[in-house]
Amino acid sequence: MTVDNVLETQDGPPRLIVHAESEFEGKVNANGHLSVRNGGAWVMHTNDGKISINGELRVQGDSLFIGKVNANGQLSVRNADVGWIMHTRDDLVAINGDLRVHGAFRSDS
């Protein structure tokens, strides 16, 4: 199936190449692997049950993380009123505001 300059299929493994903007209404099932590219470079892809982001991840609204969050460098927590509340960088944790600890607190310094 081919639509000139917009849609094509190629010989070999099943592939669908869209040369234009795409809109999907309903569920998109990648069934294993999904890759989003900007030009030739990948921006986001899924593989083996994991999502990889090559760049910044912005979440507009509430978010829920169950399990470990690994920022692997820098992590910032912000709100609309104050700006940044807490961030980590260069093995340091900075808190902009009050720190409340429920339970034991230990410092090695």
Side-chain angles (χ1 to χ4, degrees):
M1 169 175 54
T2 299
V3 177
D4 290 339
N5 298 319
V6 177
L7 180 66
E8 66 179 277
T9 58
Q10 294 181 343
D11 294 335
R15 290 182 56 180
L16 175 66
I17 301 169
V18 179
H19 299 284
E21 185 174 312
S22 301
E23 292 184 27
F24 300 94
E25 291 185 17
K27 183 178 180 180
V28 176
N29 185 353
N31 198 20
H33 185 88
L34 173 67
S35 184
V36 177
R37 297 181 175 273
N38 183 6
W42 68 271
V43 177
M44 187 274 302
H45 72 259
T46 64
N47 199 9
D48 300 329
K50 297 178 182 176
I51 298 172
S52 298
I53 306 287
N54 188 17
E56 293 185 15
L57 171 64
R58 281 194 192 145
V59 178
Q60 305 293 334
D62 293 340
S63 56
L64 172 65
F65 297 94
I66 298 173
K68 181 179 178 181
V69 176
N70 184 354
N72 198 20
Q74 181 176 342
L75 173 68
S76 293
V77 178
R78 302 174 180 272
N79 74 10
D81 300 329
V82 178
W84 72 272
I85 298 170
M86 185 276 302
H87 69 254
T88 63
R89 183 182 310 164
D90 300 327
D91 296 329
L92 300 174
V93 176
I95 297 173
N96 184 20
D98 296 335
L99 173 64
R100 186 177 301 162
V101 177
H102 298 277
F105 180 80
R106 182 180 142 211
S107 174
D108 291 334
S109 58

